[in-house]
Amino acid sequence: MSNNKYKVLIIEDDATIIRFVETVLSTSNYQVITATNGLSGERMASSHNPDLIVLDLGLPDMDGLELIEHVRENSTVPILVLSARSHESDKVAALDRGANDYVTKPFGIDEFLARVRALLRTSRHCADSCSVPGGRFVLKDLVIDYDKRLVTMAGEDVKLTQTEYNILALLSEYAGKVLTYSAIVRYIWGANDSGNVKKIQVNMANIRRKCGFNPGDDSYIINELGVGYRMKDGKED
Ligand code: CA
């Protein structure tokens, strides 16, 4: 098992945070390698083939956003952003450049490890089957049958429009990950409509009502305010 550990690359210049993250990950049986600036981070990302990158946005030699773009040119490795920036726009910028999720500093061990597990799970799942979405998605009472394009809640059919179904299916395929508003618009309506957040909100309200999600209930879909939506991973809590 020891040579079968997930390899996590931490790119971060703050020694305190490196120590913290390294300890947390090693204790949970991950192999950890670290880079303290963007350039060596980029080199290690390509030479060490990590399973996950944990990335600080504020690096001494380059902006973390730039690094995301460079890595994405030839890799789909999941990237978890550690952001001290609490502005939504920075999170959106990171996700839109290809980061998969973020945690805002200061963060707790449990939240951090849950995000790491979710990303590794989804990327492994994607490598196997994402090209052909088939089968079913199950989250508590919600079942999505991709082949029949059918949604049920506690066994009852939910009558969704094509657009509502497409949004729900999209969120489920990325369960555990945040999809930004503009990413959702791009997937559902195409690039020309990006910026039309109102459309998503209207459809999402209908989805919630038809599925019987109570107002404020985030046990299925979480609205990351100002950023986008995240469907819960079936294995969370
Ligand atoms: Ca920093």
Side-chain angles (χ1 to χ4, degrees), residues 6-224:
Y6 282 117
K7 193 191 297 173
V8 180
L9 168 61
I10 306 170
I11 307 176
E12 162 72 82
D13 60 318
D14 184 327
T16 310
I17 295 181
I18 294 177
R19 251 196 321 276
F20 173 72
V21 173
E22 200 170 16
T23 306
V24 166
L25 289 174
S26 307
T27 307
S28 298
N29 216 28
Y30 295 99
Q31 183 192 343
V32 179
I33 51 178
T34 58
T36 53
N37 62 59
L39 196 60
S40 63
E42 268 188 40
R43 290 207 187 108
M44 289 175 80
S46 60
S47 60
H48 286 71
N49 197 24
D51 298 295
L52 173 77
I53 295 177
V54 175
L55 172 69
D56 173 34
L57 286 184
L59 296 168
D61 58 335
M62 74 169 76
D63 193 313
L65 296 176
E66 204 183 322
L67 191 144
I68 295 171
E69 284 182 346
H70 293 169
V71 169
R72 275 293 167 264
E73 282 167 15
N74 47 34
S75 169
T76 57
V77 59
I79 300 176
L80 176 62
V81 164
L82 298 179
S83 174
R85 310 169 186 193
S86 55
H87 292 299
E88 272 80 20
S89 59
D90 291 314
K91 296 169 186 167
V92 172
L95 294 167
D96 276 343
R97 278 173 176 76
N100 300 79
D101 204 353
Y102 61 82
V103 286
T104 305
K105 299 173 188 172
F107 51 86
I109 293 175
D110 291 340
E111 183 195 2
F112 175 73
L113 284 175
R115 298 293 171 96
V116 166
R117 281 195 301 271
L119 288 178
L120 288 170
R121 202 156 52 220
T122 320
S123 72
R124 210 175 23 174
H125 163 77
C126 275
D128 294 341
S129 59
C130 262
S131 53
V132 187
R136 301 186 329 153
F137 175 84
V138 180
L139 176 60
K140 299 183 184 110
D141 289 340
L142 172 71
V143 178
I144 303 174
D145 185 322
Y146 296 125
D147 293 330
K148 296 182 184 147
R149 294 175 65 85
L150 250 180
V151 176
T152 57
M153 259 315 265
E156 298 286 322
D157 283 2
V158 179
K159 304 237 177 313
L160 299 175
T161 65
Q162 289 298 316
T163 302
E164 290 159 5
Y165 172 84
N166 288 340
I167 293 174
L168 194 65
L170 175 69
L171 289 173
S172 73
E173 279 170 41
Y174 288 85
K177 294 185 187 178
V178 183
L179 284 173
T180 63
Y181 299 123
S182 65
I184 296 171
V185 172
R186 224 168 32 237
Y187 276 114
I188 304 294
W189 290 284
N192 293 339
D193 255 331
S194 60
N196 199 344
V197 173
K198 186 76 192 155
K199 270 185 175 177
I200 305 174
Q201 290 168 336
V202 169
N203 279 281
M204 197 60 78
N206 289 335
I207 291 169
R208 284 178 186 277
R209 181 173 46 77
K210 290 178 178 178
C211 290
F213 303 153
N214 294 319
D217 178 5
D218 63 358
S219 51
Y220 291 92
I221 296 171
I222 298 162
N223 186 1
E224 307 273 2

